Amino acid sequence: MTSPLRHLTEAGFPGKFYIDGEWRKPIGSVAAAATVVNPATEQPIAEVALGDDDDVDCAIAAARRAFAGWSTTPPAERAALLDRIHALLLQRLELFAQALTCEMGAAITYARRAQVPLAAEHIRVARDNLANYQFVTPRGSTAIMREAIGVCGLITPWNWPLYQITAKVGPALAAGCTVVLKPSELSPLSALLFAEVMDDAGCPPGVFNLVNGTGPIVGAGLASHPLVDMISITGSTRAGVLVAQAAAPTVKRVAQELGGKSPNIILPDADLSRAVPLGVGAAFRNLGQSCSAPTRMLVSRSQMEEVEILAAAAASELVVGDPLAESTTHGPIANRPQFERVQTMISVGLKEGAKLVIGGPGRPGDLQIGLYARPTIFSNVRRDMRIAQEEIFGPVLSIIPYDTVDEAIAIANETVYGLGAHVQGTDLETVRAVAHQIQSGQVHLNHPDWDPNAPFGGYKRSGNGREYGREGMEEYLETKAVLGFYR
């Protein structure tokens, strides 16, 4: 199979944007490029063109021209396009998996098993929801109409590059919107491959557009542009605030999926032999580089010693190393700034006096090259420690003791975030009651299967709006009431 780098280079995609159904070179007055670095080797692997305001204007103009036609296209035709996109993503699964591995370090086995197929699921769900959605419903003599909001700027992160693209593009197109995508400049290769899928699937010109660039230029340009009707951003809380500020003068809708510091409450009656290893696995999924990762494990004080033993055993089973090796479960941290952040916060945990159960600073084993971090677990973490309050975004788990279930709930809720949460216990009535009191957009009970139809989003500083499922599509719709429509 042709490598993704060779495929992209031979097609000339890294130096171009996808605008109005064509691959185009930047038109901005200042040529700029971002160097994509393979985090496993710390070597540059590609140069990707970065856009400016002129490129943003061009892409938005194309999306605006296409909106009138696309928004009135019969739902069956929009669903047919989504069906073709879904099929192409699955056909090219290996190409995407290889791209994700080299651009952000995902273990190839994880990219094949999760990053790509779960991304494809967002397209399938968007197609299925579109096929069953009632865009006009009666309420007495009034018609409640749901209509596409317009041109949408989509800003996606580096940690789940393809997954977050499909989570936005799928429902936006299903709703009848046209889009301009700005992927992270740190992991843009899978986005270029996705643009190729859109082209090969027969997406009408202007319906989908891609402009690579930085947040302060392309991201801010989309957010402030008067012809953009909505911004959807997945990123840090800081980035979400900046986007909202830029969008405020034009009073556009802003959907934000931002940071998190998710709790995992292990109730006293939980089966620790199951709950603790699964909790460690969830916290370190994608090497902890997930905004909803449950990186605060809340445990009854009397069970701390047993939990520490089980957690250390689970972490010791993880294989950190070459992401292309079939035996590897976790590759490197995705980029240098994040690697430094993780190392800093591990040092902070030690200085704060937390008990180091396993891991610690530096690279694991004899790895000398690559942005590899040691899966690290702290215990006896006080609720006011920085490692208990700040989003680390890496393989660092804090085990926090509680004396009563009410105290566990209070600890779970005492952060500025509210994106995800987990509750483990044998008595389902109690588990449900605890879940009801947690302030977060999602709560997982006893580690259920992933549900692509479950809406995802945050309370508090974790964001506004929802993604996934029916609610994810409705973010891209306006509500119109037509009185006297029915007689």
Side-chain angles (χ1 to χ4, degrees):
M1 187 194 79
T2 302
S3 74
L5 288 174
R6 181 177 178 182
H7 176 82
L8 291 166
T9 301
E10 289 178 348
F13 294 160
K16 298 178 181 178
F17 307 138
Y18 187 77
I19 297 175
D20 208 13
E22 297 178 349
W23 290 96
R24 301 181 180 183
K25 291 184 177 181
I27 61 173
S29 56
V30 179
T35 299
V36 182
V37 175
N38 184 331
T41 65
E42 300 184 66
Q43 295 299 309
I45 56 175
E47 292 283 326
V48 176
L50 299 178
D52 64 10
D53 289 342
D54 292 333
D55 301 296
V56 171
D57 288 343
C58 182
I60 292 172
R64 178 57 60 187
R65 288 191 300 270
F67 176 69
W70 181 247
S71 61
T72 56
T73 298
E77 290 188 25
R78 301 204 295 270
L81 173 63
L82 292 169
D83 201 43
R84 296 192 297 272
I85 295 167
H86 179 253
L88 286 171
L89 286 172
L90 294 181
Q91 288 173 18
R92 300 176 188 180
L93 186 149
E94 184 63 22
L95 189 66
F96 277 104
Q98 295 280 345
L100 290 164
T101 295
C102 69
E103 74 178 345
M104 54 81 62
I108 190 65
T109 52
Y110 190 69
R112 291 169 180 156
R113 185 181 76 251
Q115 288 262 8
V116 182
L118 297 186
E121 275 293 279
H122 286 310
I123 300 295
R124 181 193 64 79
V125 167
R127 177 201 64 195
D128 291 351
N129 284 329
L130 171 60
N132 298 304
Y133 195 79
Q134 298 297 315
F135 287 89
V136 181
T137 56
R139 187 178 298 170
S141 63
T142 297
I144 306 299
M145 299 181 177
R146 306 303 300 272
E147 299 177 341
I149 195 169
V151 174
C152 300
L154 311 179
I155 302 173
T156 55
W158 50 260
N159 58 317
W160 287 84
L162 181 64
Y163 179 94
Q164 286 301 143
I165 288 172
T166 58
K168 297 181 190 299
V169 172
L173 297 191
C177 296
T178 57
V179 305
V180 179
L181 169 68
K182 189 212 88 67
S184 170
E185 67 275 19
L186 298 176
S187 53
L189 304 182
S190 52
L192 293 169
L193 292 174
F194 182 77
E196 184 183 32
V197 163
M198 297 298 293
D199 190 63
D200 291 346
C203 183
V207 171
F208 170 86
N209 307 274
L210 178 148
V211 178
N212 279 312
T214 64
I217 297 177
V218 173
L222 288 170
S224 62
H225 205 288
L227 296 182
V228 171
D229 302 290
M230 174 181 171
I231 288 287
S232 177
I233 176 174
T234 297
S236 67
T237 298
R238 175 181 174 276
V241 169
L242 293 173
V243 164
Q245 290 172 337
T250 52
V251 199
K252 55 172 59 69
R253 183 179 299 175
V254 179
Q256 304 161 308
E257 194 266 280
L258 307 175
K261 192 68 176 178
S262 299
N264 181 5
I265 299 178
I266 299 183
L267 295 172
D269 70 340
D271 177 358
L272 296 183
S273 66
R274 178 180 186 273
V276 174
L278 287 176
V280 171
F284 292 163
R285 179 175 60 104
N286 203 39
L287 208 62
Q289 298 170 126
S290 296
C291 46
S292 60
T295 54
R296 292 185 297 146
M297 183 178 286
L298 280 54
V299 178
S300 175
R301 193 179 301 276
S302 63
Q303 297 174 318
M304 286 289 287
E305 184 176 351
E306 183 178 0
V307 169
E308 289 173 4
I309 293 170
L310 290 168
S316 68
E317 294 293 319
L318 305 180
V319 180
V320 178
D322 179 4
L324 289 173
E326 295 289 334
S327 60
T328 295
T329 62
H330 294 70
I333 297 292
N335 54 72
R336 169 61 66 174
Q338 192 56 37
F339 175 80
E340 298 294 346
R341 165 71 175 171
V342 170
Q343 296 302 315
T344 295
M345 292 305 293
I346 291 174
S347 296
V348 166
L350 293 171
K351 291 177 182 178
E352 288 182 318
K355 177 183 178 181
L356 182 64
V357 175
I358 194 170
R363 296 179 172 89
D366 58 357
L367 295 170
Q368 301 299 318
I369 297 174
L371 304 178
Y372 297 100
R374 301 170 68 189
T376 297
I377 298 176
F378 288 107
S379 186
N380 290 329
V381 175
R382 297 191 313 272
R383 54 207 286 185
D384 62 340
M385 287 181 175
R386 287 181 62 191
I387 59 172
Q389 291 293 326
E390 296 183 23
E391 183 175 42
I392 299 173
F393 225 62
V396 183
L397 173 65
S398 295
I399 302 177
I400 304 172
Y402 66 83
D403 293 306
T404 67
V405 173
D406 285 343
E407 183 187 19
I409 295 167
I411 294 171
N413 289 334
E414 65 180 8
T415 77
V416 297
Y417 301 111
L419 189 57
H422 291 243
V423 183
Q424 325 300 325
T426 301
D427 181 57
L428 189 55
E429 184 176 346
T430 300
V431 169
R432 289 170 175 163
V434 171
H436 186 69
Q437 298 176 71
I438 295 177
Q439 300 165 356
S440 68
Q442 272 196 357
V443 184
H444 296 234
L445 308 184
N446 292 318
H447 293 286
D449 292 337
W450 178 68
D451 182 0
N453 271 299
F456 180 69
Y459 285 28
K460 299 184 282 187
R461 296 186 194 177
S462 286
N464 295 296
R466 292 296 180 266
E467 294 190 304
Y468 313 170
R470 180 188 180 96
E471 289 79 6
M473 186 174 78
E474 290 179 336
E475 286 292 328
Y476 297 91
L477 296 170
E478 283 282 21
T479 301
K480 177 187 288 183
V482 182
L483 286 70
F485 188 87
Y486 300 104
R487 296 292 185 180

